[in-house]
Amino acid sequence: MMPPPAHAEETRREAGLQPVQPAGARWAHAWRLCTRYFVSQDWKWAWFLVACYCAVEVGTTYAFLLSNTWQRDFYDAIERRQGAQFVSLVVMFMMIAGLAIGTQFLHNIVGWTLSIRWRHWLNDWYLGRWFARDRFYEIERLRMIDNPDQRIAEDVRAFTSMGLEYGQSPLSIAISLIFSLVRAIAFATILLQTSSPLAIPLFGDRIPLPGGDLIWFSIAYVVLGTTVITWIGKPFVRRKMREQHYEADYRAGLLHVRRNGEQIAFSHAQNIEQDGLKTAFANIRRNFFQLMLANAGLSAGQDIYQRTMTVVPLFLTVPKYFAGAITFGQVQAARDAFTQFSASLSYIVMAYPGIARQVANINRLKALDDAIDYERPRGITFMPGGTPDGVAIRVEGLELRRPNGAPLMAVADWTVRDGERWVIQGPSGTGKTTLLRAIAGLWPDGAGQVAMTRRGRAMLVPQRLYLPLGTLKGAVCFPDRPEQHDDATVLALLEKVGLKAHGTALHELRMWQEELSPGEQQRVALARILLKRPTLLIVDEATSALDADNAAFFYRAVLDAMPDATIVSVVHNEKLAAYHTHRLRLHHGHATAAAITEDEA
């Protein structure tokens, strides 16, 4: 059965082409991401640091209350000209300031420590799932989401940030919200000292409200401000999500130019690539102006809200001061308490930009999780170790299809026995490389069965060799660790394959993928084969960048070193068929297998 196409809804959501998921689904996903860490093997440190974080918040709240009391006493002392209390109030101020500075210091230390431990665990968790079942390959092959690397690097960092320069994590937002309510209750008790009774006229009667006028005016102010700011901030959330999407696309384009600089320069394709980058940046620029307007509206609303918050309590308490009902110190204390009470209740308004950023982060992480967890049924059954003795590869009823379901090629029955050397030939685009991917278990699209032996050691060499970042010795030994092989052996192999000139740089850290020419990279592939001596070798045009003599030397060296090895090769050079015993010819969507006669060789 042909697997269904991969879902692309998240990509469309991020591009603004489809409505976002309900907020409940996003925050439920954020909750799952948080709880996984707090029940992980690092749970003791996690809960300890959260407890310390909450203790610091308690200290911060206590410092606020002490500061409010100090303001009342200080201004009362000024009003009454009580100079004798001035020195003691200054000392008290310094003690309160010391407490505030200490709590802020501990807040940063605890927050940073929790952030890096949380990020470390979540980073390892994502990397493990990304590499499991070759999901990193499948996500790119099907183009399920854009830039999974950036999501793991940037979005995980922002998600675990406990109030650092990257913003606030959902956990820190939740803790801050709880303690904002605690501070609201604490400052409400202070407001009661200067509040007047408030009653609502209803049907000719006056119904008294609990608390006082300052508390109810503050609540009404917060409700109105929260409603307005939330309404103003909706476009900001949408534009912030698109900003991350467009910025990621632009960075991917720049990285593409960096990786393919030589080919672009040789092809004189600078204008084409530059136009592509300009188009990607045009999306950023267009969204930037819309984001700028949304941010300007949100910032203006927040600024008006904060400025008004410090003036409203004066309008309510100064008349009481003129009437002699309260002292000047109580006016200042009420102003501070009103501001703190309103700020605590309106935490959502103040944290709205941070919440908007987290909504975007959570959406992108949810898309990453959906892509990693997406179980696309295999159409082609791959059975490692499913061949009988004497058989290296067995294919039955194989139909190769493209990811969109379009037919590509059919191989009815094909058996590669131990020691046979098969050459796969056919016009470009007939599916030769895709067939090798199916043999390796990397292509699920289609139908049929593929079985590969687990006896001995298999090795697949692609046309474009992967050279890891590191030393030249590491590139030759890959995927083994360099220390598993001695220098003399590697140097001898480099000399054998014609790379002796690079032997002096055996342990130098370089971008060997960029420094070595395609032909040199394919010589490294030969050195790697001769070092590993696989019993089953699958080669996908691994001599395409070599001249005829060196291509022939490639196969002679392999046969001399491994005369009994099973080889499956994709080649275009007919002369290289002489180094094989059998041929699989692909033509018009079908495969024909036959032995190579002496005349053909």
Side-chain angles (χ1 to χ4, degrees):
M1 179 183 293
M2 175 64 192
H7 295 298
E9 288 136 355
E10 289 296 343
T11 302
R12 292 178 59 80
R13 288 191 184 103
E14 292 171 359
L17 303 176
Q18 191 166 320
V20 298
Q21 288 184 338
R26 294 195 299 265
W27 290 108
H29 181 69
W31 171 258
R32 289 192 296 271
L33 284 181
C34 289
T35 53
R36 280 191 176 96
Y37 172 60
F38 287 93
V39 296
S40 68
Q41 67 276 13
D42 201 38
W43 68 271
K44 292 182 180 179
W45 268 104
W47 286 104
F48 171 73
L49 290 172
V50 167
C52 292
Y53 196 88
C54 292
V56 171
E57 288 286 349
V58 172
T60 302
T61 302
Y62 184 61
F64 280 144
L65 294 173
L66 290 179
S67 177
N68 184 271
T69 302
W70 179 86
Q71 285 192 69
R72 182 193 61 196
D73 295 341
F74 181 76
Y75 287 108
D76 280 345
I78 292 176
E79 182 183 25
R80 298 166 185 168
R81 294 181 173 82
Q82 295 174 336
Q85 297 184 13
F86 185 77
V87 175
S88 61
L89 287 171
V90 171
V91 173
M92 180 62 69
F93 171 80
M94 295 176 65
M95 295 174 63
I96 295 173
L99 175 62
I101 294 172
T103 55
Q104 183 61 41
F105 177 81
L106 292 175
H107 186 277
N108 289 333
I109 294 297
V110 174
W112 280 54
T113 304
L114 178 57
S115 294
I116 193 60
R117 295 188 72 95
W118 188 3
R119 183 186 177 190
H120 180 201
W121 183 89
L122 202 56
N123 178 77
D124 288 351
W125 184 69
Y126 269 111
L127 288 180
R129 296 167 58 231
W130 190 42
F131 281 102
R133 299 177 291 115
D134 296 328
R135 295 307 300 163
F136 66 95
Y137 168 73
E138 190 74 357
I139 289 171
E140 291 300 319
R141 187 177 74 88
L142 298 176
R143 298 291 186 266
M144 297 175 69
I145 55 173
D146 67 278
N147 305 298
D149 52 326
Q150 186 221 16
R151 297 169 194 252
I152 295 175
E154 298 294 333
D155 295 329
V156 168
R157 179 179 63 173
F159 183 81
T160 57
S161 175
M162 298 295 291
L164 311 183
E165 63 268 26
Y166 313 117
Q168 287 187 307
S169 70
L171 176 62
S172 63
I173 290 174
I175 293 176
S176 298
L177 178 60
I178 293 172
F179 279 94
S180 292
L181 296 177
V182 172
R183 281 192 286 271
I185 296 173
F187 284 106
T189 59
I190 298 175
L191 284 178
L192 286 174
Q193 300 174 10
T194 52
S195 293
S196 301
L198 186 64
I200 299 178
L202 186 65
F203 302 116
D205 294 329
R206 295 182 62 84
I207 301 176
L209 296 177
D213 56 350
L214 291 179
I215 292 178
W216 284 105
F217 278 123
S218 178
I219 292 174
Y221 181 79
V222 169
V223 171
L224 177 62
T226 301
T227 302
V228 173
I229 294 298
T230 302
W231 178 75
I232 294 176
K234 284 184 177 180
F236 180 82
V237 176
R238 293 194 297 269
R239 294 302 168 188
K240 197 65 181 177
M241 291 173 60
R242 294 187 188 182
E243 179 192 39
Q244 290 186 321
H245 178 78
Y246 292 143
E247 291 284 359
D249 286 345
Y250 185 59
R251 281 194 296 271
L254 292 171
L255 183 61
H256 170 77
V257 172
R258 177 185 169 188
R259 287 178 174 174
N260 300 278
E262 184 178 25
Q263 293 89 330
I264 294 172
F266 277 143
S267 304
H268 301 289
Q270 294 90 335
N271 291 336
I272 296 176
E273 295 297 334
Q274 188 174 2
D275 289 343
L277 291 174
K278 286 182 178 180
T279 301
F281 189 81
N283 292 331
I284 296 176
R285 184 173 180 270
R286 183 173 59 254
N287 184 73
F288 177 83
F289 285 112
Q290 296 171 328
L291 180 63
M292 178 182 67
L293 293 176
N295 183 65
L298 181 61
S299 298
Q302 288 181 314
D303 185 66
I304 294 172
Y305 183 82
Q306 290 175 333
R307 291 179 181 275
T308 307
M309 187 188 298
T310 61
V311 178
V312 170
L314 294 179
F315 294 158
L316 299 174
T317 56
V318 167
K320 298 178 183 179
Y321 170 73
F322 289 152
I326 59 176
T327 66
F328 185 66
Q330 287 178 309
V331 171
Q332 295 296 330
R335 177 188 180 184
D336 181 67
F338 184 95
T339 302
Q340 295 292 345
F341 179 73
S342 299
S344 298
L345 290 183
S346 58
Y347 173 75
I348 298 297
V349 175
M350 299 296 103
Y352 199 86
I355 295 174
R357 284 189 289 270
Q358 283 303 330
V359 169
N361 290 332
I362 292 169
N363 281 345
R364 289 175 60 79
L365 287 177
K366 188 176 188 308
L368 175 62
D369 281 316
D370 289 346
I372 291 176
D373 296 334
Y374 178 62
E375 291 289 347
R376 192 167 186 247
R378 291 188 63 93
I380 299 174
T381 302
F382 179 68
M383 299 181 295
T387 60
D389 291 341
V391 176
I393 300 171
R394 182 167 181 80
V395 172
E396 296 179 356
L398 180 64
E399 293 182 11
L400 295 177
R401 293 180 176 269
R402 303 183 190 278
N404 62 4
L408 182 59
M409 186 190 63
V411 181
D413 292 296
W414 178 38
T415 300
V416 178
R417 302 186 182 278
D418 292 343
E420 293 181 343
R421 301 190 299 274
W422 284 78
V423 60
I424 301 177
Q425 294 178 306
S428 298
T430 53
K432 298 184 297 296
T433 298
T434 304
L435 176 59
L436 294 188
R437 290 172 180 165
I439 292 174
L442 298 178
W443 194 267
D445 301 327
Q449 293 183 348
V450 174
M452 177 184 284
T453 181
R454 278 187 171 174
R455 296 177 295 277
R457 183 173 186 175
M459 183 176 181
L460 189 148
V461 181
Q463 180 179 8
R464 184 176 181 181
L465 189 68
Y466 170 68
L467 300 179
L469 296 176
T471 65
L472 180 58
K473 182 181 179 182
V476 174
C477 297
F478 181 85
D480 293 347
R481 296 187 181 277
E483 56 269 19
Q484 294 179 243
H485 304 275
D486 59 85
D487 290 0
T489 301
V490 176
L491 287 172
L493 289 174
L494 290 178
E495 182 176 1
K496 184 178 182 65
V497 301
L499 295 177
K500 181 181 179 180
H502 294 289
T504 56
L506 189 65
H507 296 287
E508 293 185 15
L509 296 172
R510 297 185 188 176
M511 295 281 292
W512 293 105
Q513 191 87 42
E514 306 297 332
E515 289 200 25
L516 297 179
S517 68
E520 289 176 318
Q521 292 182 33
Q522 292 187 342
R523 295 184 187 192
V524 172
L526 176 57
R528 192 181 289 177
I529 293 170
L530 299 178
L531 180 66
K532 305 298 179 55
R533 305 278 182 109
T535 56
L536 172 59
L537 178 63
I538 301 174
V539 182
D540 183 13
E541 297 189 53
T543 60
S544 59
L546 298 175
D547 58 82
D549 291 340
N550 279 296
F553 172 77
F554 184 103
Y555 278 93
R556 286 199 305 269
V558 170
L559 293 180
D560 290 342
M562 302 174 295
D564 298 326
T566 305
I567 300 176
V568 177
S569 302
V570 171
V571 297
H572 282 290
N573 187 349
E574 181 64 32
K575 293 182 179 180
L576 296 179
Y579 298 97
H580 301 80
T581 60
H582 294 75
R583 185 195 316 270
L584 186 71
R585 189 179 297 279
L586 309 185
H587 190 63
H588 295 302
H590 295 281
T592 304
I596 297 178
T597 64
E598 293 184 4
D599 293 338
E600 291 178 307

